[in-house]
Amino acid sequence: MSDKPPTPPADLSTEMVDTLNSYTPEQLRYVARYAEALAAHKARGGHVDDAPDDDEVAEQPDDLPDDVPSKATITIKEINDNRYYYWQWRDGESVRSKYKEPVNPDE
């Protein structure tokens, strides 16, 4: 396996490449799952602002707590020189967070 990072597609913006390069492996996996789900949704003719049907069940990560909505993403907060993962989502005009776990220093 090569020590060099993969070459990004030429049509990807520098800003997007820089953002992705700053993510942890876990965050990149979440982004990849979201991108795949969004691509499938658009391929079916859906639009991003479409609300899901009541009988449509959204796929959720295995470790998503019951009181955290499926639209939540993972963010990292640094508190007293320690890093922690938090679920984070928008609730109307507010941003809500819920503790997930400490960041593994080996990642």
Side-chain angles (χ1 to χ4, degrees), residues 23-38:
Y23 285 179
T24 65
E26 184 173 286
Q27 288 172 314
L28 287 169
R29 288 182 190 100
Y30 281 110
V31 169
R33 282 195 291 263
Y34 171 73
E36 285 295 326
L38 183 59

Side-chain angles (χ1 to χ4, degrees), residues 24-68:
T24 65
E26 184 173 286
Q27 288 172 314
L28 287 169
R29 288 182 190 100
Y30 281 110
V31 169
R33 282 195 291 263
Y34 171 73
E36 285 295 326
L38 183 59
H41 175 73
K42 286 187 171 192
R44 291 189 304 268
H47 299 283
V48 174
D49 57 355
D50 284 350
D53 296 335
D54 289 341
D55 59 349
E56 183 177 317
V57 177
E59 187 174 326
Q60 296 181 344
D62 292 338
D63 59 346
L64 187 67
D66 291 337
D67 58 342
V68 173

Side-chain angles (χ1 to χ4, degrees), residues 39 96 98:
R96 306 278 185 214
K98 180 174 177 147

